[in-house]
Amino acid sequence: MQTTKENSKSTDSQNTKFNFDYAPALESTDIVQIKDRNLLFIDGKWVAPSQGKYFKTINPATGLPLAEIAEASTKDVDNAVKAARKAYTKTWSKLTGAERGRYLFRIARLIQERARELAVLETMDNGKPIKESRDIDIPLVAAHFFYYAGWADKLDYAIPGQKVSPVGVVGQIIPWNFPLLMAAWKIAPALACGNTVVIKPAETTSLSLLLLVQILQEAGLPDGVVNVITGAGETGTALVAHADINKVAFTGSTDVGRLIAKTVAGTNKKLTLELGGKSAHIIFEDAAIEQAVEGVINGIFFNQGHVCCAGSRLLLEESVSEIFVEKLKIRMQQLRVGNPLDKNTDIGAINSSTELEKIKKLITTGQNEGAEFFEPNIEMPDKGYFQKPCFFNRVSSAFTLSRVEVFGPVLAISTFRTTQEAIAKANDTPYGLAAGIWSEKGSKVHKVASSLKAGVIWANTYNKFDPTSPFGGYNESGWGREGGRHGLFPYLNTKQGAK
Ligand code: NAP
Ligand code: MG
């Protein structure tokens, strides 16, 4: 094993230049009120779980509990589906698109009004830096509701030549990495299309969705249109298996996605799966190197690497590989890992001890396989679940780090000599969620983009999201699209012969 330590002479002299720190700028948590015990939300009411079971959610930056969350049993799931069916038949499907749109616009505006509260709560429960929850997650949550509110009365024009109708009751299951954003990606198009919802958040991050419920109530959303069943994997299994669900929308790991696909196979349920990734950045020698370094940093260290489309593989054209790696090291030396509520923090806490252990195990595997390991010499918090950002250089395609999704701030670097080799290496993965191309030459960007098997391709930027743009993957990264006009399709039945 070769280990490149950051204390080489050249890096040391460059580091001294950054030998200062910002004064802490902590976001106050006073705006957030967390109930000690949180119930299920079924048919417009807060209800206790039928088996009386609760589990704890923690703040991963401190390791301390924040609250107790109700665990929904199969019976609770059934009650939630019944409430959603009743609301679908009696209320929601009877409204016009314009009326549904009005509710969604109201929800979007209330999200904006309570944006700070939502951002602080998300950061406390998830561990992501406040500057991300405040500037990225919550604005995008509101943007999704605004965007799909606009579609609600225009569905007849969404698919030319087709008459559309809602699918009915949808079961939705979301992960912990973007808790409220994933909820918005699911709830907004479902409601715009006239469906009702039963949604399960991830076990470790239920709180922001429970706060969104308060907003739905404030917006006057009719009872049963959105039902929230908190719980673990078993609650999710019960939801997927429920006979009266017309569609399942899942975002999470490829392994659980496979299980869900098996359960749904042979039924009439529609299914969309948004799964994992091992996305590549391709840096050509003519790229603007400083911007590309920043893009790579953003691509893998943003949100602690807890991003399905994280740029976790870096392919460097050989002629610029050394200079690029040196610049990357210098930039990593400036990253601040720490209290997610501090506005200066770049990298917050890993969401749970389980996830942190998974990341550490994969780092050990990478070290044992013999790639060059680098981690910056930066201060780390002494409590909570934190991972230093790091990379492995000179990884071959056979290494675990080139193939397996780490879902943490860990980058795998390799080189290429020709464009064909770059394309072949980028596509050499069972996934196909995203890719980043860095080159000043537009024709090269277009040529490479058309050869990459990835759902989203960014050029000279990374991790840019917009509700008008569809998102989704190839192969083991999933089925179907969310976002944009395409994001309406899974929530609509179609019939030939419309306007
Ligand atoms: P996960 O373990 O698959 O969990 C996702 C959700 O499924 C959670 O709510 C989970 O509940 C629930 N669940 C677990 N087992 C289930 C089962 N057997 N049946 C039904 N539901 C079940 O994924 P994760 O580790 O939380 O999330 C990270 C993964 O999500 C990564 O692979 C990432 O790439 C992917 N992701 C993809 C996208 C995308 O758009 N493509 C976006 C974000 C994340 P518990 O939390 O209680 O276990
Ligand atoms: Mg938590």
Side-chain angles (χ1 to χ4, degrees), residues 104-372:
L104 291 174
F105 277 123
R106 210 176 294 155
I107 293 165
R109 285 193 298 269
L110 287 167
I111 290 167
Q112 286 183 321
E113 275 173 27
R114 295 177 75 171
R116 198 166 142 245
E117 187 183 352
L118 289 163
V120 173
L121 183 63
E122 194 77 307
T123 284
M124 290 169 77
D125 202 15
N126 169 281
K128 65 174 65 200
I130 186 72
K131 66 180 178 191
E132 281 169 16
S133 47
R134 182 196 59 195
D135 299 344
I136 299 170
D137 294 47
I138 307 305
L140 278 171
V141 169
H144 267 83
F145 278 97
F146 276 121
Y147 176 73
Y148 283 110
W151 267 115
D153 61 352
K154 300 172 193 71
L155 297 173
D156 285 339
Y157 309 98
I159 314 176
Q162 302 282 317
K163 202 167 168 37
V164 299
S165 56
V167 298
V169 176
V170 301
Q172 307 183 322
I173 299 176
I174 53 174
W176 47 263
N177 59 341
F178 289 88
L180 201 58
L181 186 56
M182 290 301 105
W185 280 27
K186 300 256 178 305
I187 296 173
L191 297 195
C193 292
N195 306 284
T196 55
V197 165
V198 179
I199 182 167
K200 188 196 98 63
E203 207 178 325
T204 53
T205 53
S206 308
L207 291 175
S208 55
L209 181 53
L210 297 176
L211 181 51
L212 181 70
V213 165
Q214 292 181 22
I215 289 175
L216 303 182
Q217 287 182 302
E218 216 179 308
L221 195 71
D223 292 350
V225 173
V226 172
N227 304 274
V228 179
I229 44 160
T230 45
E234 296 82 66
T235 306
T237 311
L239 180 59
V240 173
H242 198 288
D244 201 29
I245 291 280
N246 301 104
K247 177 198 156 44
V248 175
F250 172 77
T251 296
S253 61
T254 299
D255 287 346
V256 174
R258 268 196 207 104
L259 287 177
I260 292 178
K262 272 190 202 154
T263 310
V264 167
T267 71
N268 281 332
K269 290 173 193 166
K270 281 180 163 239
L271 175 64
T272 40
L273 300 171
E274 297 284 356
L275 310 174
K278 192 76 195 175
S279 302
H281 273 285
I282 305 174
I283 316 286
F284 288 100
E285 64 178 8
D286 61 1
I289 297 291
E290 304 290 344
Q291 276 111 306
V293 168
E294 210 49 44
V296 169
I297 293 275
N298 171 44
I300 183 65
F301 301 136
F302 161 58
N303 202 23
Q304 300 70 249
H306 294 337
V307 186
C308 49
C309 52
S312 53
R313 289 185 295 147
L314 174 59
L315 306 178
L316 298 171
E317 188 154 7
E318 212 170 78
S319 48
V320 290
S321 65
E322 274 185 31
I323 178 85
F324 198 98
V325 169
E326 274 317 302
K327 283 181 185 288
L328 192 62
K329 285 181 181 173
I330 293 168
R331 182 65 183 88
M332 283 169 74
Q333 196 61 47
Q334 302 161 43
L335 292 171
R336 283 179 297 271
V337 182
N339 188 345
L341 284 165
D342 190 326
K343 290 164 206 156
N344 300 315
T345 293
D346 297 308
I347 300 181
I350 301 296
N351 182 244
S352 64
S353 59
T354 321
E355 285 303 316
L356 184 58
E357 274 163 35
K358 273 197 228 165
I359 297 168
K360 296 229 177 278
K361 224 168 145 183
L362 279 162
I363 291 176
T364 308
T365 306
Q367 287 171 326
N368 292 339
E369 283 180 350
E372 282 180 25

Side-chain angles (χ1 to χ4, degrees), residues 57-68:
T57 190
I58 58 140
N59 178 343
T62 60
L64 298 173
L66 287 172
E68 281 187 343

